[in-house]
Amino acid sequence: MVEDHRSVVRRSEIPGSISRPVVTPLYPSVVYRSTDADELDQQYEGHVAGYSYAREGHPNADVLAAKLAWLEGLGDNDPQGVVTGSGMAAVSAMMLGLLSHGDHIVAGNQLYGRTLRMLDNDLRRLGVDTSLVDVGDGAAVADAIGASTTMLLVEAVSNPTLRIADIEALAEVARDNDLLFAVDNTFTTPRMFRPFEHGADLVLHSVTKMLAGHADVTLGYVAARDEGVHQRVLDAAVTWGLTPSPFDCWLAERGLHTFELRYDQAERTATLLADALAAHHGVEAVIYPGRSDHPDNARSKALFDDRSGTMVSFRLRGDRAEVNAFIRAAEHISFAPTLGDVSTTISHPASSSHRRLTVPERTALGIDEGFIRVSVGIEDARLLVDELVAAVGLATSES
Ligand SMILES: *Cc1c(COP(=O)(O)O)cnc(C)c1O
């Protein structure tokens, strides 16, 4: 009997082609085959390049990492960073790779909610102590540093209050005290701010947000300039299983092609929106770093040049009833707790991201019932601004 080697169960050879695809192929393969044990040996020894198992690395993650590294200003010879399965996985990989029992972290007191929760609960449980401070105040940060402090973690712009960290002072404090200075650059994006140029040792991203940009991918990224630091984060990501799926990386790469266009369009609209809202009697205050009435406007100009971001926060005159009326009136705009999508989203921190805080705690941050955050998208600017301004008018016309 003739054996048929063309069983459908057997793996096929990939058809040869002298021409190559222009789009990065998607590599869903969990595993990679070698010719023989000697070849595999050479690969494990690092003499030849090769993939082995998808959790350890795959082409789609590496292509994406190289693009993100380039955006953050890293060179070809720098480590290219680690892509992770979510923004929180990036935070986790950094913590698990770089901290030990007994270490102390100083971090911003207005970080992303889940990051705060990790610092407050999970890391403490694992024996890592944390101090949360106002990172707009370099002296307060310096005061919080003790003998066991090893890391300083900040976001350049706070959410949703859009206050700006004193990055130059913090970088100096980190340098003087030999701390790893980590910046979560999700809100600012490398279009607005490149932390490595301001003394950061690590840069983190929720790629989920503006970098991927289409609300269909959950991914994260963490980059370190130092090879040893990079390797520890990579090992933690692989060991703790925080690495990403090829398809998500493929989608994020596709999203990234238009990142700069999307950012610029959204920022132009954000500026128009901030000014239009500020002119409306139904708005108590607009919070936008590019406006001269923003408390950190001078710092914004110094740190971000002419960039002001794609997020606009404001205080609607009124209470929950007016907020509900506003959200319902802006019927074509999603009321959804995310940011960075091509489509504008509105969020209400008092009922979502900051609901676990007491009213006095929220008030201390400047977040009241009327506080609304807009993540500006790339739809037609005039339509968007008109709809939001009209919604403010409808919601506040009675009061
Ligand atoms: C969303 C976000 C995260 C977490 O990212 P996920 O992709 O949702 O896990 C971390 N930091 C900031 C600033 C974020 O906005």
Side-chain angles (χ1 to χ4, degrees), residues 178-369:
D178 213 13
L179 310 181
L180 286 168
F181 182 29
V183 178
D184 180 335
N185 202 27
T186 302
F187 240 65
T188 18
T189 85
R191 193 81 173 143
M192 182 169 174
F193 184 55
R194 302 213 292 192
F196 286 128
E197 292 167 8
H198 297 265
D201 299 300
L202 291 128
V203 174
L204 299 126
H205 277 286
S206 169
V207 177
T208 312
K209 311 292 169 52
M210 192 147 200
L211 293 173
H214 295 71
D216 51 11
V217 168
T218 303
L219 280 182
Y221 176 70
V222 50
R225 247 189 325 207
D226 180 82
E227 183 63 49
V229 172
H230 163 80
Q231 195 59 46
R232 286 168 67 184
V233 174
L234 175 61
D235 281 337
V238 171
T239 303
W240 293 79
L242 305 170
T243 46
S245 108
F247 183 55
D248 285 344
C249 295
W250 186 89
L251 270 180
E253 186 204 350
R254 176 169 140 141
L256 216 48
H257 287 130
T258 55
F259 160 65
E260 290 167 332
L261 286 172
R262 286 187 283 106
Y263 178 93
D264 291 355
Q265 166 75 15
E267 187 176 65
R268 270 194 302 275
T269 306
T271 305
L272 294 175
L273 176 65
D275 291 343
L277 288 172
H280 199 288
H281 61 83
V283 171
E284 211 171 273
V286 167
I287 303 152
Y288 186 62
R291 283 178 54 85
S292 57
D293 58 3
H294 188 283
D296 302 323
N297 181 242
R299 189 176 282 168
S300 173
K301 286 207 172 95
L303 216 49
F304 309 137
D305 293 327
D306 55 343
R307 299 295 186 178
S308 308
T310 59
M311 308 293 293
V312 178
S313 293
F314 67 99
R315 287 200 190 83
L316 190 69
R317 248 179 240 292
D319 229 310
R320 179 64 68 94
E322 285 75 18
V323 166
N324 282 337
F326 166 75
I327 292 166
R328 282 195 301 262
E331 61 173 326
H332 303 105
I333 300 162
S334 302
F335 173 55
T338 189
L339 62 108
D341 185 18
V342 285
S343 194
T344 298
T345 49
I346 305 170
S347 74
H348 178 242
S351 64
S352 58
S353 54
H354 291 66
R355 64 176 297 122
R356 280 149 49 94
L357 300 187
T358 62
V359 172
E361 282 171 338
R362 281 203 293 266
T363 306
L365 292 176
I367 300 169
D368 54 17
E369 268 297 332

Side-chain angles (χ1 to χ4, degrees), residues 70-85:
W70 182 82
L71 280 172
E72 284 296 357
L74 291 169
D76 286 344
N77 296 321
D78 290 317
Q80 302 289 287
V82 182
V83 180
T84 56

